[in-house]
Amino acid sequence: MENHNHEANINQDYLCNGLPQVLVLEPPPVFKFHGEQLSKIFHFLKAWESPLPLHQYLTINSQSVKAVLSAGTTPITPDIIRLIPSLGIIVTTSAGLNHIDLQECRRRQISIATAGTLYSEDAADLAVGLLIDVFRKISTADRYVRRGLWASQRDYQFPLGSKLGGKQVGIVGLGSIGLNVAKRLEAFGCNILYNSRKKKPSVPYPYYPDVCDLATHCDVLIICCGLTDETHHMINKKVLLELGKEGVIINVGRGAVIDEKEMVECLLQEEIAGAGLDVFENEPNVPKELFSLENVVLSPHRAVHSEETLMALCDLVVGNFEAFFSNKPLLTPLVED
Amino acid sequence: MENHNHEANINQDYLCNGLPQVLVLEPPPVFKFHGEQLSKIFHFLKAWESPLPLHQYLTINSQSVKAVLSAGTTPITPDIIRLIPSLGIIVTTSAGLNHIDLQECRRRQISIATAGTLYSEDAADLAVGLLIDVFRKISTADRYVRRGLWASQRDYQFPLGSKLGGKQVGIVGLGSIGLNVAKRLEAFGCNILYNSRKKKPSVPYPYYPDVCDLATHCDVLIICCGLTDETHHMINKKVLLELGKEGVIINVGRGAVIDEKEMVECLLQEEIAGAGLDVFENEPNVPKELFSLENVVLSPHRAVHSEETLMALCDLVVGNFEAFFSNKPLLTPLVED
């Protein structure tokens, strides 16, 4: 973490014990790993440590709170926002924003700072890692060796995998993560296609405005988009049937972009070939039917978990709060289109 | 598999039941998956199906054999070669050639056909897959989710991984596999360095003639070379200590390029950070100490196991034998330098 001269330009009204007050609804990963350092810079009100229900905690403690740090799990609803009457900024450490009521924030003129594109490379790396794992059965092979089966089952032929080169890979959501996935998979000889809200003029890949049409043309779908009303359950049984029996789905976006129940059915009935999933509809609950399948790879929402990125995130969180408390432009403000 | 007009140009002397005779010492994967199709083209003598010891089997059955198909595990020693007096060609489905006594083959003017660069992309894909897995703990995370621990251990923070971008990756053996690994990892933002017998004039990456010196400058070593007298145990404790506590080793070359005992010691004593291993010194036996480590990913020598590649290999095996039996140039002859 960089050295910050924290008190120099900060409006003294916001201070508690000499430090600016920040309300935290639930512990974000950056807090767990760099909490001690952050606590030297900000005075944190830790809602989750109180035995009180959140509404009651906020009613008692949030009257003077101007800043919230969010990890992206506790929904920041109009109700919650009303209980923090002086709220001026939400800094979220999540890549997605679906947990924040943006309309209420606009109405109240609450600024939002996001993680920007900080996670894009980590998320893309994991998407490719999950894809190679499903195609080449790496986790399954690791289990096989650890159980001692390689040496004991000499006549057993471990099943073949699939080659990445030459595959048609459809990226759903060609933002910063999707573009990083595309760049990586081109180096493996994959052909990239994509779906997104709009055609991207600067991009060489074929555009499919209809995700079902994209699925028809693909061996793999990689979900890289955020969760919105439009993307909720966008990947349903119809899309998965178009992806087909040899098709693989990867999700590093948000769980509810896929209709999870229909995907599980397709996997159980072998209507698609496999899945690599970092996100789920009802985290941390994962459909138990998936636990016994050899053609899925399950990851506990960790697309953006690397030491290097969390360190950079820590700097970004500090920088955004300091900018806010000093009336300077945020480093990574939410830009709505 | 392509359609071949098999008998058209083939010297009739080599036929048995109308098909050219091919001796197979042990079942290669291509044989298990495409054996039935191949058996329509060649008459196979399957040494491993006989209860006789190999030497005795060969003495009785190999007098007229001109062609051998090898999977790369049974050593083809001068002793074995002497028992096949008419031997004219060995087609090996392995990428490595360390199982064949090349000197004896040269002396006897026995041609060798290899798998060429057929496996390079699959092997490179697996090398990158193993690297992402070790860095981002994919197999470990999959175990964690499957055991139901994500939902039950809400306060546990799954350990952070490492970011690929910006890492110094040293490739040991910059042949066809190594170059494919380099191409892929450049797309992840890794910096490529390499060691090989000679500096490659057409390659932009920094060359380190000494592997220990390479390790000093690297976060990751990826072993892509074959096994020779020079590369045997080339990666020893000294090299691993230079790689260091944060260093990761990946092996898709041959097991004995690494001194396995010293590597296991380094892993147990946390003198290196992790390993992704597709090959081992004494396959299919894997050091049991590795089974309980969370920072290793174990793969049962499957760098070249994809359906697409085995299908292409099948065509290559058929093409090389047909060329030999028709006195035409081999498709993928061994080129010695």
Side-chain angles (χ1 to χ4, degrees), chain A residues 23-248:
Chain A
L23 171 68
V24 195
L25 300 178
E26 74 268 291
V30 67
F31 211 81
K32 291 195 176 177
F33 290 96
H34 300 290
E36 207 175 311
Q37 291 158 277
L38 287 169
S39 292
K40 293 177 185 159
I41 309 174
F42 303 108
H43 177 80
F44 290 109
L45 299 169
K46 301 177 182 175
W48 77 92
E49 286 186 350
S50 164
L52 296 175
L54 182 59
H55 279 64
Q56 212 174 326
Y57 177 87
L58 294 177
T59 306
I60 297 169
N61 294 287
S62 299
Q63 294 310 302
S64 65
V65 163
K66 296 193 165 44
V68 162
L69 174 60
S70 160
T73 45
T74 305
I76 303 187
T77 60
D79 264 7
I80 298 274
I81 294 172
R82 264 191 290 278
L83 293 171
I84 317 171
S86 310
L87 185 60
I89 187 170
I90 301 168
V91 173
T92 182
T93 61
S94 61
L97 285 168
N98 55 295
H99 60 297
I100 301 175
D101 191 295
L102 297 180
Q103 204 180 341
E104 184 67 9
C105 288
R106 268 193 298 271
R107 202 183 64 76
R108 285 268 310 271
Q109 296 190 287
I110 295 164
S111 303
I112 297 174
T114 72
T117 58
L118 194 65
Y119 299 136
S120 304
E121 291 183 88
D122 273 1
D125 291 352
L126 188 70
V128 175
L130 290 172
L131 178 59
I132 303 177
D133 196 326
V134 175
F135 264 51
R136 301 297 302 278
K137 304 180 194 295
I138 295 178
S139 293
T140 306
D142 180 73
R143 274 197 297 278
Y144 175 76
V145 176
R146 279 175 199 263
R147 286 172 185 163
L149 298 177
W150 190 19
S152 64
Q153 300 189 341
R154 298 200 70 145
D155 285 339
Y156 173 77
Q157 185 68 44
F158 194 90
L160 291 173
S162 298
K163 184 171 177 164
L164 270 79
K167 291 293 183 298
Q168 302 284 107
V169 177
I171 297 181
V172 179
L174 200 69
S176 174
I177 295 173
L179 284 168
N180 271 294
V181 170
K183 178 182 162 197
R184 283 154 177 71
L185 287 180
E186 280 195 288
F188 289 81
C190 297
N191 303 311
I192 309 296
L193 305 69
Y194 77 104
N195 164 262
S196 64
R197 275 171 300 178
K198 300 174 212 160
K199 190 175 190 315
K200 313 261 170 184
S202 59
V203 157
Y205 317 121
Y207 172 62
Y208 288 81
D210 176 56
V211 76
C212 215
D213 192 26
L214 177 71
T216 309
H217 290 85
C218 284
D219 303 301
V220 182
L221 279 185
I222 304 188
I223 313 303
C224 301
C225 62
L227 183 63
T228 63
D229 288 346
E230 290 73 41
T231 63
H232 183 265
H233 282 197
M234 177 171 60
I235 308 297
N236 54 24
K237 185 159 188 172
K238 186 162 173 273
V239 177
L240 294 171
L241 291 180
E242 289 298 336
L243 185 59
K245 284 184 190 300
E246 306 291 316
V248 165

Side-chain angles (χ1 to χ4, degrees), chain B residues 203-223:
Chain B
V203 156
Y205 317 120
Y207 172 62
Y208 289 80
D210 176 56
V211 77
C212 214
D213 192 27
L214 177 72
T216 310
H217 289 84
C218 284
D219 303 301
V220 182
L221 279 186
I222 304 187
I223 312 304

